[in-house]
Amino acid sequence: MGARIHLVRHGHHGLLDRILCGRMPGVPLDDLGCRQIANTAGLLRGHAVQAVQSSPQRRALQSAAIIADRCGCAVEIASGFDEIDMGRWTGAAFTELASDKKWQKWNQRRGRTRPPGGESMTALQRRVVGHLEQFQGQSGTIVIVSHAEPIRAALMYYLRIPLDRFHTVAIDPASISTIRLDGPRRLVSCVNREVTA
């Protein structure tokens, strides 16, 4: 059967779609995000989850704690699934970034550029795939709570989608995407399963 890994994006927070949070400290879930993740946790509870891992960012840890409580697990920190480092863009408003030529280039060539002072999408993809491949040879179900970009990078690797086409893979708050590692096979069995609040 191999390992089944559910990649869950954290729930909604008050800065979503307005501020590029990246690794900004102290960004909590809002009430909607808590409801979303509670519903996600309800779906995952029936999957015999053996471990819950999380990005070290607060919004991910909050989400993971809700899931872990429902699944009877403790939360383990997974630094390999930390949010992408957006460098000097961290904390910027999307309205401010819209006219930045470097931002425009980043969104056209994700596979070949990087945020100023930050991490490339290629480097992000290497670290998330490296983390996932550690489960090779294991069996059971694992939940990893992370962010849109790390989850997207992992899925694009296994689906063989070039990073420049990042906009073709949507990852919504509290959504579930699933990867199976079964011997030499890598199967993406679910992408962006939305859970309504």
Side-chain angles (χ1 to χ4, degrees):
M1 181 176 171
R4 178 179 285 110
I5 303 165
H6 296 302
L7 303 176
V8 176
R9 185 181 177 188
H10 60 77
H12 190 275
H13 59 80
L15 300 178
L16 196 70
D17 298 327
R18 296 190 299 113
I19 301 294
L20 182 57
C21 295
R23 296 183 181 181
M24 265 176 61
V27 178
L29 298 181
D30 58 15
D31 289 343
L32 172 59
C34 290
R35 291 196 303 272
Q36 288 174 329
I37 288 294
N39 288 342
T40 301
L43 284 177
L44 292 169
R45 181 171 49 188
H47 287 233
V49 173
Q50 296 175 336
V52 176
Q53 298 188 341
S54 176
S55 154
Q57 302 305 318
R58 182 177 178 187
R59 57 199 182 274
L61 286 168
Q62 279 184 282
S63 301
I66 294 168
I67 294 168
D69 181 65
R70 291 279 183 96
C71 295
C73 300
V75 176
E76 306 167 10
I77 300 295
S79 57
F81 265 84
D82 197 356
E83 176 65 292
I84 188 170
D85 182 355
M86 296 304 293
R88 291 193 291 277
W89 288 337
T90 301
F94 287 112
T95 53
E96 296 170 4
L97 289 169
S99 60
D100 185 327
K101 289 185 178 177
K102 289 183 179 177
W103 173 254
Q104 294 166 8
K105 185 177 179 182
W106 159 254
N107 285 302
Q108 292 164 356
R109 301 179 183 174
R110 284 283 177 100
R112 295 163 282 168
T113 57
R114 73 174 61 230
E119 178 181 28
S120 71
M121 197 82 175
T122 302
L124 168 66
Q125 191 174 68
R126 274 196 304 268
R127 71 171 161 87
V128 296
V129 171
H131 185 87
L132 290 171
E133 289 296 322
Q134 293 177 18
F135 298 110
Q136 166 65 24
Q138 298 185 32
S139 60
T141 301
I142 297 129
V143 173
I144 303 176
V145 182
S146 187
H147 311 266
E149 296 307 324
I151 294 170
R152 183 179 284 123
L155 294 171
M156 292 178 77
Y157 176 83
Y158 290 112
L159 291 170
R160 299 181 181 178
I161 299 172
L163 288 172
D164 288 353
R165 295 181 58 211
F166 77 97
H167 56 277
T168 65
V169 181
I171 305 295
D172 295 311
S175 64
I176 304 170
S177 299
T178 305
I179 296 169
R180 285 180 53 199
L181 308 182
D182 186 4
R185 294 195 310 147
R186 302 292 180 266
L187 175 66
V188 177
S189 58
C190 177
V191 175
N192 196 40
R193 179 179 179 184
E194 295 182 73
V195 180
T196 56

